[in-house]
Amino acid sequence: MSRIVQLLLVSLLPVTMQVYAQTTEEAERLQQLEQRVKELEQQAKSTQQPSPTMQSSLSNSLFSLYGSLRPTLEYQDKADDQWDIGDALSRLGVKAETEFAPNWRAIARGEWKIRLDDNGRFGEARLAFAGIASPYGQLTFGRQRPVQYTLVAEYIDVFNNANSPFGYNQESPFFVNNALIYEVKFQPVTIMASGIFDGNAGGSGADAVNVGAGFDKYGVHLGIAYLQQDTYTGEVKTGEEQLTGGVISYEFNNGIYAAVGYQNKEYKFDMGNNRTGSTFDSALAIPFGNAYKLKLGYFWFKDGIEDSTSLDYDGYNLTLEWQAASNVRLHLECLQQNNDEREDDTIFALGVRYDFDLNWKI
């Protein structure tokens, strides 16, 4: 009997092996088919994702919409006692930046005036520029704050009047058009250089050059800047002006802030009659009562003219501020300007400042 079983098993062995081989081959084919299905599903998913060129241009970006509304009620002490609603430089602006490589950003900014004293008129540009910020510095093109203001005047510009800082205001730049500005920081030192290239001004090269350096550490700011610019009457070059300025400021541990700025201005004309002028501004801010601040300033402007056409003046400013909220400020201000060859100006102002800054990260 066992012999018969053995013979039967031997006869069935080839058939069993064949069936096993077919089953294994089919299993391998089924596994390959399942793998191919998975690959096709993965490809389908990937084609549903937007390619880099189709993604939003604001990816890896920061965007800000900001503004400041600064209406005032002013009383000017003159023969006819003038009352007026004024505006202390209200503005609306946008800022944006996009990181396109590690530590490399494209930046852009626009800012426009809002004239609350002139039917709410909107549109005159304060800032309009774009550029690149990198580990090697920042380069920007367009309408910007000049080096002279950024390193010198900004530190004495602490009052609420549209003419602050008062000595600097008369003949020194707050904004410049057609400007190329390079800025690099080596903490605690900042170095800036700029040129103005206006093809309509008659010059073949830079119409103005402005360079400077600043030092910031332990609450101290030291700034110095030099500006040389051509002067024109129409398209005819009449000479040049050279402005050298410096400022020192310090914020004490108790919150008291003090700053002094001085500029020397050389007027050089092709037809002679050269002269030298100067500006001086000082500021002292004393906080008290948690939400209040007293600000005092003394200033002068001298244009170097020795006759009745001179615009020379000096004066002082006294301001009381109440910081009602982090973005709300009310102030009461007295400005006295003593003009050498004109009627003096005494202005009292009551004003409010409302700020907002909305930010998005994409």
Side-chain angles (χ1 to χ4, degrees), residues 115-187:
R115 293 298 303 270
L116 301 182
D117 59 342
D118 186 11
N119 298 317
R121 181 165 55 88
F122 171 81
E124 185 178 352
R126 289 166 52 91
L127 299 169
F129 66 85
I132 298 295
S134 77
Y136 309 101
Q138 177 175 293
L139 187 66
T140 49
F141 308 75
R143 180 171 172 82
Q144 306 175 66
R145 289 286 196 184
V147 174
Q148 202 76 17
Y149 180 86
T150 303
L151 295 177
V152 177
E154 183 174 2
Y155 294 86
I156 43 179
D157 189 6
V158 302
F159 299 100
N160 298 283
N161 194 290
N163 294 326
S164 172
F166 305 101
Y168 178 97
N169 172 72
Q170 185 65 37
E171 292 183 359
S172 303
F174 285 87
F175 300 95
V176 288
N177 289 316
N178 306 299
L180 174 66
I181 299 181
Y182 175 71
E183 176 181 348
V184 63
K185 295 181 181 293
F186 304 98
Q187 296 295 348

Side-chain angles (χ1 to χ4, degrees), residues 254-312:
N254 58 7
I256 294 177
Y257 177 82
V260 174
Y262 174 83
Q263 295 185 128
N264 181 80
K265 188 166 187 177
E266 299 286 340
Y267 302 81
K268 298 184 177 182
F269 302 103
D270 294 341
M271 302 299 293
N273 297 321
N274 298 338
R275 52 189 170 89
T276 300
S278 63
T279 73
F280 176 83
D281 285 280
S282 62
L284 177 65
I286 305 172
F288 65 95
N290 295 325
Y292 297 91
K293 188 173 290 185
L294 180 65
K295 296 181 177 180
L296 306 97
Y298 173 73
F299 57 88
W300 82 58
F301 169 78
K302 298 178 181 180
D303 56 17
I305 298 175
E306 302 297 335
D307 57 35
S308 60
T309 62
S310 172
L311 300 177
D312 288 5

